[in-house]
Amino acid sequence: MLQTLANTLPHFRNTNSGQFFLMAGPCVIEGEDMALRIAEQVRQITDRLQIPYIFKGSYRKANRSRLDSYTGIGDEKALRILEKVGREIGVPTVTDIHESEEAAMAAEFVDVLQIPAFLCRQTDLLIAAAKTGKVVNVKKGQFLSGESMQFAVDKVRQSGNENVILTDRGNSFGYSDLVVDFRNLPVMREFGVPVVMDVTHSLQQPNQSSGVTGGKPALIETIAKAAIAVGADGLFIETHPTPASAKSDGANMLSLDRLEALLVKLTRVREAVR
């Protein structure tokens, strides 16, 4: 396992000789066995393809449409599972935080703190994450341009932390759809940070009348290929053995049994464009 991801962050910056990296895992931690199984399978795939891998899992889902939506198995329990994944599978881990006081707590268990898109302008949250010394992955707000994310990077850096990643997840398009403007990736890359395309969240269809987010998973390959073609340093893909039974965001997840074939294609795209 990487001792500290912060010490190796330049490795996650796409170069002429490098490979893109992958953040992947379930939307939310549903249990220990499933988290370990997903992490182990993805680790085996990425090892074969020589793709640097970070396991992704939310310890709690705070941004839900309905009061009865699934939020998690409990903060400490889920965080300890993330810690165990990192220790036993030997990969860095990333989870999202929602309020300033969560930063120090989550930082005890994971390598990367992720700032949700809706919260990317929350100054206190960004400062708290930065002060942990962990890598901070800031998702671009659905309501922002790539250019405006310079200010999020500045907040983290000016708080004493140079380890920043920016992730695009599309822009709001009408009331219940998102569209990806691939210009945002090279624009954000000019800030001197690795940039990631959140493939699966960019295919969400939020604010459905049922209160359950929809999605267009058939376009996962399209978005991923385009992101690699324009120079994304990494991809963010939520994956699950059975998306239809996932506790959260199943409508836009990639089935785990389809991940390797997709990554093989993406490594070929990466090789072609470099």
Side-chain angles (χ1 to χ4, degrees):
M1 179 177 174
L2 299 173
Q3 260 190 341
T4 62
L5 191 59
N7 291 339
T8 58
L9 188 60
H11 178 62
F12 289 84
R13 181 67 193 259
N14 205 345
T15 67
N16 287 336
S17 60
Q19 182 60 276
F20 63 89
F21 66 93
L22 177 69
M23 295 183 181
C27 177
V28 63
I29 298 298
E30 299 177 9
E32 182 177 302
D33 290 345
M34 178 175 288
L36 288 167
R37 186 166 74 252
I38 292 173
E40 176 62 29
Q41 289 186 42
V42 180
R43 171 69 191 269
Q44 291 175 4
I45 294 167
T46 53
D47 278 356
R48 285 195 291 272
L49 298 174
Q50 298 184 315
I51 296 171
Y53 172 46
I54 304 171
F55 175 81
K56 180 272 166 187
S58 297
Y59 71 88
R60 171 162 45 90
K61 301 304 294 183
N63 175 28
R64 302 288 87 188
S65 296
R66 298 187 340 196
L67 188 61
D68 61 353
S69 296
Y70 182 82
T71 58
I73 59 176
D75 292 358
E76 184 174 352
K77 185 176 181 180
L79 284 167
R80 291 199 179 279
I81 289 172
L82 282 161
E83 182 182 45
K84 187 171 184 177
V85 166
R87 182 176 65 250
E88 294 196 1
I89 307 302
V91 294
T93 54
V94 56
T95 198
D96 38 323
I97 58 174
H98 319 92
E99 298 184 42
S100 301
E101 57 267 26
E102 296 177 26
M105 174 185 70
E108 294 183 19
F109 300 93
V110 300
D111 302 284
V112 183
L113 298 179
Q114 183 167 283
I115 308 300
F118 282 125
L119 301 177
C120 68
R121 285 170 53 92
Q122 297 296 102
T123 300
D124 289 348
L125 181 60
L126 288 166
I127 292 173
K131 288 188 177 299
T132 67
K134 299 289 184 174
V135 175
V136 181
N137 178 33
V138 188
K139 285 195 171 183
K140 184 185 74 63
Q142 301 94 322
F143 43 87
L144 292 175
S145 67
E147 288 88 350
S148 62
M149 290 303 291
Q150 174 71 68
F151 303 109
V153 173
D154 290 345
K155 288 177 183 179
V156 176
R157 286 175 168 165
Q158 290 166 11
S159 299
N161 190 335
E162 292 291 326
N163 300 299
V164 192
I165 297 172
L166 290 180
T167 296
D168 192 8
R169 55 147 303 160
N171 281 76
S172 295
F173 187 73
Y175 291 108
S176 58
D177 206 355
L178 295 164
V179 65
V180 177
D181 181 351
F182 286 100
R183 295 176 298 178
N184 285 324
L185 296 177
V187 165
M188 295 192 299
R189 207 163 183 265
E190 289 299 312
F191 306 148
V193 300
V195 296
V196 175
M197 184 72 236
D198 182 343
V199 178
T200 47
H201 281 110
S202 70
L203 292 168
Q204 282 185 335
Q205 292 180 301
N207 305 319
Q208 300 296 299
S209 58
S210 64
V212 177
T213 297
K216 296 181 177 179
L219 292 173
I220 287 173
E221 182 175 322
T222 300
I223 297 295
K225 284 179 175 177
I228 295 300
V230 300
D233 298 296
L235 296 176
F236 181 109
I237 297 175
E238 287 190 337
T239 185
H240 193 281
T242 53
S245 64
K247 300 289 188 181
S248 177
D249 282 2
N252 54 268
M253 276 195 199
L254 179 70
S255 180
L256 185 56
D257 62 6
R258 299 180 62 188
L259 179 64
E260 183 165 13
L262 173 62
L263 292 177
V264 168
K265 292 178 181 178
L266 296 176
T267 59
R268 291 172 181 164
V269 175
R270 173 75 185 115
E271 180 65 29
V273 297
R274 75 180 182 186

